[in-house]
Amino acid sequence: LEQYGIGRGTLREALRLLEFQGVIELRPGPGGGPVMTDPDASHLASSLILLMQLNDAPFGVIVEARAALEPMISRLAAERISAGTLVELEETVDRMRGSLNDRREFLEANKRFHDLIAWSSGNPLFGYLADSLLGIMDGTAIGIDYPPHRREAIIDAHAQIYEALVARDPIGSERCMREHIDAYRRYAERKYPDLLGQVIQWDRTLDG
């Protein structure tokens, strides 16, 4: 209050804004107050989705962004990923194999796989960007679904990416990831061509 010369009402509004953005948590009671947190990418994703809706951007732009971003991320991850993260990565592939008939579990493991690779790039900006787009990329919010045979193809692609990362093969990792994203794009264009042209809706995507 002294440093910026503002009133308590302004301070309260500023704190509420920071809480909404996930930067702080306001804890009640004695000894409470604002506490710093570790924000995730959901707030960035929400902002990006809203901006895309305001610009009438269709779902297809997400596919384009991921196709450009993730192969490069996978290339960097092959050089920087830790042994511990490789173990976690293998576990996500095993989870997906064991949840072919469990849509929610399958998609959570799928997201975790891509999250681990993105953050293993060593570039936090890539981590936040990829993480913020993952929830939109699967397409479930606008009606895209994956039958068992498609889920099996995704598992096979993840296994190939994993093997390339274990081999510390940047070129192979980049190629496998590009093929994986391209396969998703072709599947979506073939099965859901109209959906890719739909404008991303902020509230509808969050509900999904």
Side-chain angles (χ1 to χ4, degrees), residues 128-148:
Y128 279 116
L129 286 173
D131 193 14
S132 68
L133 299 178
L134 282 168
I136 318 168
M137 179 67 172
D138 66 49
T140 53
I142 63 170
I144 294 179
D145 199 7
Y146 306 99

mmCIF file of all heavy atoms in Angstrom, residues 128-148:
data_model
loop_
_atom_site.group_PDB
_atom_site.id
_atom_site.type_symbol
_atom_site.label_atom_id
_atom_site.label_comp_id
_atom_site.label_asym_id
_atom_site.label_seq_id
_atom_site.Cartn_x
_atom_site.Cartn_y
_atom_site.Cartn_z
ATOM 1 N N TYR A 128 4.883 -24.829 -21.302
ATOM 2 C CA TYR A 128 3.601 -24.179 -21.045
ATOM 3 C C TYR A 128 2.734 -24.127 -22.297
ATOM 4 O O TYR A 128 1.521 -24.352 -22.231
ATOM 5 C CB TYR A 128 3.812 -22.759 -20.509
ATOM 6 C CG TYR A 128 4.114 -22.714 -19.034
ATOM 7 C CD1 TYR A 128 5.343 -22.249 -18.564
ATOM 8 C CD2 TYR A 128 3.165 -23.131 -18.093
ATOM 9 C CE1 TYR A 128 5.626 -22.219 -17.209
ATOM 10 C CE2 TYR A 128 3.442 -23.090 -16.733
ATOM 11 C CZ TYR A 128 4.670 -22.632 -16.296
ATOM 12 O OH TYR A 128 4.952 -22.602 -14.948
ATOM 13 N N LEU A 129 3.348 -23.841 -23.444
ATOM 14 C CA LEU A 129 2.570 -23.759 -24.679
ATOM 15 C C LEU A 129 1.971 -25.112 -25.048
ATOM 16 O O LEU A 129 0.780 -25.212 -25.364
ATOM 17 C CB LEU A 129 3.455 -23.251 -25.825
ATOM 18 C CG LEU A 129 3.804 -21.765 -25.802
ATOM 19 C CD1 LEU A 129 4.813 -21.439 -26.902
ATOM 20 C CD2 LEU A 129 2.559 -20.902 -25.952
ATOM 21 N N ALA A 130 2.797 -26.152 -25.018
ATOM 22 C CA ALA A 130 2.297 -27.482 -25.364
ATOM 23 C C ALA A 130 1.242 -27.936 -24.366
ATOM 24 O O ALA A 130 0.188 -28.466 -24.752
ATOM 25 C CB ALA A 130 3.451 -28.474 -25.416
ATOM 26 N N ASP A 131 1.512 -27.716 -23.093
ATOM 27 C CA ASP A 131 0.572 -28.133 -22.059
ATOM 28 C C ASP A 131 -0.766 -27.415 -22.210
ATOM 29 O O ASP A 131 -1.841 -28.011 -22.048
ATOM 30 C CB ASP A 131 1.183 -27.843 -20.688
ATOM 31 C CG ASP A 131 0.432 -28.525 -19.554
ATOM 32 O OD1 ASP A 131 -0.382 -29.416 -19.840
ATOM 33 O OD2 ASP A 131 0.672 -28.172 -18.388
ATOM 34 N N SER A 132 -0.718 -26.127 -22.571
ATOM 35 C CA SER A 132 -1.953 -25.354 -22.685
ATOM 36 C C SER A 132 -2.808 -25.787 -23.862
ATOM 37 O O SER A 132 -4.018 -25.590 -23.869
ATOM 38 C CB SER A 132 -1.626 -23.858 -22.824
ATOM 39 O OG SER A 132 -0.990 -23.596 -24.058
ATOM 40 N N LEU A 133 -2.183 -26.408 -24.883
ATOM 41 C CA LEU A 133 -2.928 -26.836 -26.067
ATOM 42 C C LEU A 133 -3.375 -28.288 -26.004
ATOM 43 O O LEU A 133 -4.229 -28.701 -26.786
ATOM 44 C CB LEU A 133 -2.070 -26.632 -27.326
ATOM 45 C CG LEU A 133 -1.645 -25.190 -27.625
ATOM 46 C CD1 LEU A 133 -0.765 -25.157 -28.872
ATOM 47 C CD2 LEU A 133 -2.856 -24.287 -27.815
ATOM 48 N N LEU A 134 -2.810 -29.062 -25.096
ATOM 49 C CA LEU A 134 -3.097 -30.496 -25.067
ATOM 50 C C LEU A 134 -4.568 -30.789 -24.819
ATOM 51 O O LEU A 134 -5.140 -31.700 -25.426
ATOM 52 C CB LEU A 134 -2.244 -31.188 -24.005
ATOM 53 C CG LEU A 134 -0.790 -31.444 -24.402
ATOM 54 C CD1 LEU A 134 0.028 -31.856 -23.191
ATOM 55 C CD2 LEU A 134 -0.714 -32.512 -25.481
ATOM 56 N N GLY A 135 -5.184 -30.041 -23.923
ATOM 57 C CA GLY A 135 -6.581 -30.304 -23.605
ATOM 58 C C GLY A 135 -7.510 -30.027 -24.766
ATOM 59 O O GLY A 135 -8.604 -30.601 -24.850
ATOM 60 N N ILE A 136 -7.091 -29.134 -25.687
ATOM 61 C CA ILE A 136 -7.906 -28.824 -26.847
ATOM 62 C C ILE A 136 -7.611 -29.805 -27.968
ATOM 63 O O ILE A 136 -8.485 -30.165 -28.745
ATOM 64 C CB ILE A 136 -7.630 -27.392 -27.351
ATOM 65 C CG1 ILE A 136 -7.496 -26.420 -26.185
ATOM 66 C CG2 ILE A 136 -8.726 -26.931 -28.292
ATOM 67 C CD1 ILE A 136 -6.940 -25.078 -26.586
ATOM 68 N N MET A 137 -6.379 -30.265 -28.036
ATOM 69 C CA MET A 137 -5.918 -31.064 -29.167
ATOM 70 C C MET A 137 -6.684 -32.372 -29.319
ATOM 71 O O MET A 137 -6.911 -32.833 -30.426
ATOM 72 C CB MET A 137 -4.423 -31.364 -29.002
ATOM 73 C CG MET A 137 -3.799 -32.220 -30.090
ATOM 74 S SD MET A 137 -3.766 -31.379 -31.668
ATOM 75 C CE MET A 137 -2.777 -32.525 -32.620
ATOM 76 N N ASP A 138 -7.089 -32.997 -28.196
ATOM 77 C CA ASP A 138 -7.746 -34.301 -28.347
ATOM 78 C C ASP A 138 -9.114 -34.165 -29.008
ATOM 79 O O ASP A 138 -9.657 -35.130 -29.527
ATOM 80 C CB ASP A 138 -7.834 -35.051 -27.020
ATOM 81 C CG ASP A 138 -8.733 -34.365 -26.004
ATOM 82 O OD1 ASP A 138 -9.857 -34.007 -26.378
ATOM 83 O OD2 ASP A 138 -8.309 -34.213 -24.851
ATOM 84 N N GLY A 139 -9.677 -32.947 -28.982
ATOM 85 C CA GLY A 139 -10.894 -32.689 -29.740
ATOM 86 C C GLY A 139 -12.182 -33.144 -29.104
ATOM 87 O O GLY A 139 -13.252 -32.954 -29.683
ATOM 88 N N THR A 140 -12.130 -33.718 -27.931
ATOM 89 C CA THR A 140 -13.352 -34.269 -27.333
ATOM 90 C C THR A 140 -14.377 -33.183 -27.033
ATOM 91 O O THR A 140 -15.578 -33.453 -27.035
ATOM 92 C CB THR A 140 -13.017 -35.027 -26.039
ATOM 93 O OG1 THR A 140 -12.267 -34.167 -25.167
ATOM 94 C CG2 THR A 140 -12.191 -36.264 -26.344
ATOM 95 N N ALA A 141 -13.915 -31.955 -26.788
ATOM 96 C CA ALA A 141 -14.855 -30.883 -26.472
ATOM 97 C C ALA A 141 -15.752 -30.536 -27.653
ATOM 98 O O ALA A 141 -16.839 -30.008 -27.470
ATOM 99 C CB ALA A 141 -14.089 -29.633 -26.021
ATOM 100 N N ILE A 142 -15.319 -30.825 -28.874
ATOM 101 C CA ILE A 142 -16.156 -30.519 -30.030
ATOM 102 C C ILE A 142 -16.687 -31.778 -30.699
ATOM 103 O O ILE A 142 -17.289 -31.702 -31.766
ATOM 104 C CB ILE A 142 -15.397 -29.653 -31.054
ATOM 105 C CG1 ILE A 142 -14.182 -30.399 -31.614
ATOM 106 C CG2 ILE A 142 -14.996 -28.328 -30.465
ATOM 107 C CD1 ILE A 142 -13.538 -29.699 -32.800
ATOM 108 N N GLY A 143 -16.451 -32.937 -30.099
ATOM 109 C CA GLY A 143 -17.094 -34.147 -30.589
ATOM 110 C C GLY A 143 -16.197 -35.176 -31.240
ATOM 111 O O GLY A 143 -16.694 -36.196 -31.714
ATOM 112 N N ILE A 144 -14.897 -34.952 -31.294
ATOM 113 C CA ILE A 144 -13.996 -35.952 -31.868
ATOM 114 C C ILE A 144 -13.770 -37.069 -30.858
ATOM 115 O O ILE A 144 -13.484 -36.808 -29.696
ATOM 116 C CB ILE A 144 -12.648 -35.317 -32.276
ATOM 117 C CG1 ILE A 144 -12.868 -34.330 -33.431
ATOM 118 C CG2 ILE A 144 -11.644 -36.383 -32.706
ATOM 119 C CD1 ILE A 144 -11.611 -33.633 -33.907
ATOM 120 N N ASP A 145 -13.899 -38.311 -31.316
ATOM 121 C CA ASP A 145 -13.707 -39.453 -30.428
ATOM 122 C C ASP A 145 -12.748 -40.439 -31.086
ATOM 123 O O ASP A 145 -12.468 -40.364 -32.285
ATOM 124 C CB ASP A 145 -15.040 -40.130 -30.127
ATOM 125 C CG ASP A 145 -14.959 -41.006 -28.880
ATOM 126 O OD1 ASP A 145 -13.913 -40.958 -28.198
ATOM 127 O OD2 ASP A 145 -15.923 -41.732 -28.609
ATOM 128 N N TYR A 146 -12.248 -41.382 -30.283
ATOM 129 C CA TYR A 146 -11.274 -42.354 -30.771
ATOM 130 C C TYR A 146 -11.778 -43.766 -30.528
ATOM 131 O O TYR A 146 -11.836 -44.212 -29.387
ATOM 132 C CB TYR A 146 -9.928 -42.153 -30.054
ATOM 133 C CG TYR A 146 -9.410 -40.741 -30.138
ATOM 134 C CD1 TYR A 146 -9.581 -39.855 -29.071
ATOM 135 C CD2 TYR A 146 -8.762 -40.293 -31.276
ATOM 136 C CE1 TYR A 146 -9.117 -38.554 -29.150
ATOM 137 C CE2 TYR A 146 -8.292 -38.994 -31.360
ATOM 138 C CZ TYR A 146 -8.476 -38.120 -30.299
ATOM 139 O OH TYR A 146 -8.029 -36.833 -30.382
ATOM 140 N N PRO A 147 -12.145 -44.483 -31.576
ATOM 141 C CA PRO A 147 -12.552 -45.880 -31.421
ATOM 142 C C PRO A 147 -11.356 -46.736 -31.055
ATOM 143 O O PRO A 147 -10.200 -46.295 -31.160
ATOM 144 C CB PRO A 147 -13.099 -46.235 -32.810
ATOM 145 C CG PRO A 147 -12.406 -45.299 -33.744
ATOM 146 C CD PRO A 147 -12.208 -44.035 -32.980
ATOM 147 N N PRO A 148 -11.576 -47.981 -30.609
ATOM 148 C CA PRO A 148 -10.463 -48.833 -30.158
ATOM 149 C C PRO A 148 -9.313 -48.962 -31.149
ATOM 150 O O PRO A 148 -8.146 -48.898 -30.758
ATOM 151 C CB PRO A 148 -11.153 -50.186 -29.927
ATOM 152 C CG PRO A 148 -12.548 -49.820 -29.547
ATOM 153 C CD PRO A 148 -12.886 -48.619 -30.384
#
